[in-house]
Amino acid sequence: VRRTQAGDLILLISADDKKFLLKLAGEGELHTHQGILQHESMIDVPLGTVVHSHLGEPFLLLRPTLQEILLNTKRKSQIIFPKDIGYILLRLSIGPGSTVVEAGTGSGALTTALAWAVGPAGRVFSYDSREDMQALARENLERLGLEGRVRLIVRDIEEGFEQRDADAVFLDLPNPHDYLAQTREALCNGGTLGSILPTTNQVAQLVRALREHGFQSIEVCELLLRFYKTLPSRLRPEDRMVAHTGYLIFGRSLHE
Ligand SMILES: C[S@@+](CC[C@H](N)C(=O)[O-])C[C@H]1O[C@@H](n2cnc3c(N)ncnc32)[C@H](O)[C@@H]1O
């Protein structure tokens, strides 16, 4: 049986399906709409069991999934959403031992997923021109103990990347078309560039620039994720959905 320890990141789900993500610390308290829970009473407890608030309300105690962790990212910028991150990881083929470069770091949601995926043998190099963004991303990574896999670099990528021969580069900033020369220098021959953009105008600009810079196998897509109400007798989609996050663009860099 797996039990919780001090320092673990845990997820509590209330009877009305509200989720709370927290790091267990000896003295802490969690205040919820259904009462208070003492951190101490949740340490050395088997995962997958029910704990109770001071009002006697039940909470299911679980280990959070990466999706729940990403949605809980402390943010100062728009983050990339898990539905897009999942496909980005596959499309860039990020796995144990990969070397990946990204800009900008922002709040570090993608950085977190990249660090998770590259494992202890991989490396993530993450650039942002704003030091305050990287401070927040560092905090988010440290919460998960993933900071050792990431080098955060404060720099405008106009000046280029320090890395060469990277497996993949991901650009999440408004004008990726301006940095394709820098991206090609950082990528290995045949390496994959990925980007996310909110408007079709920006996508058209990027696709044009990708062609000019000789990128091959260019792909543009968007992902729509529709959740369903989980009532077997009335199985149907939720009334509302997130209709738009961003367009995803990919291409392969070839050296001359
Ligand atoms: C939307 S945020 C990135 C969000 C991030 N992918 C996430 O999932 O949390 C865009 C970031 O790009 C940075 N940025 C914009 N232009 C840049 C440039 N030329 N060089 C470096 N960083 C830049 C901004 O400071 C901002 O923090």
Side-chain angles (χ1 to χ4, degrees), residues 73 75 77-81 85 102-111 127-130 132-133 155-158 170 172-175 179 196:
T73 302
R75 61 190 83 163
S77 63
Q78 179 59 263
I79 62 164
I80 304 183
F81 279 93
I85 287 181
E102 69 152 352
T105 313
S107 308
L110 180 63
T111 324
Y127 289 74
D128 204 296
S129 44
R130 283 178 53 181
D132 60 325
M133 295 310 279
R155 183 194 287 191
D156 189 318
I157 61 159
E158 175 72 41
F170 195 86
D172 179 11
L173 34 73
N175 54 336
Y179 310 118
I196 185 164

Side-chain angles (χ1 to χ4, degrees), residues 91 180 193 203 206-221 248-253:
R91 210 47 195 71
L180 295 185
L193 157 85
V203 175
L206 178 57
V207 170
R208 197 171 295 122
L210 283 169
R211 294 199 187 289
E212 281 164 13
H213 282 82
F215 279 79
Q216 300 292 315
S217 190
I218 298 169
E219 175 184 293
V220 176
C221 66
L248 298 174
I249 307 95
F250 301 96
R252 295 288 199 122
S253 164

Side-chain angles (χ1 to χ4, degrees), residues 165-177:
D165 233 23
D167 299 306
V169 171
F170 195 86
L171 300 178
D172 179 11
L173 34 73
N175 54 336
H177 57 272

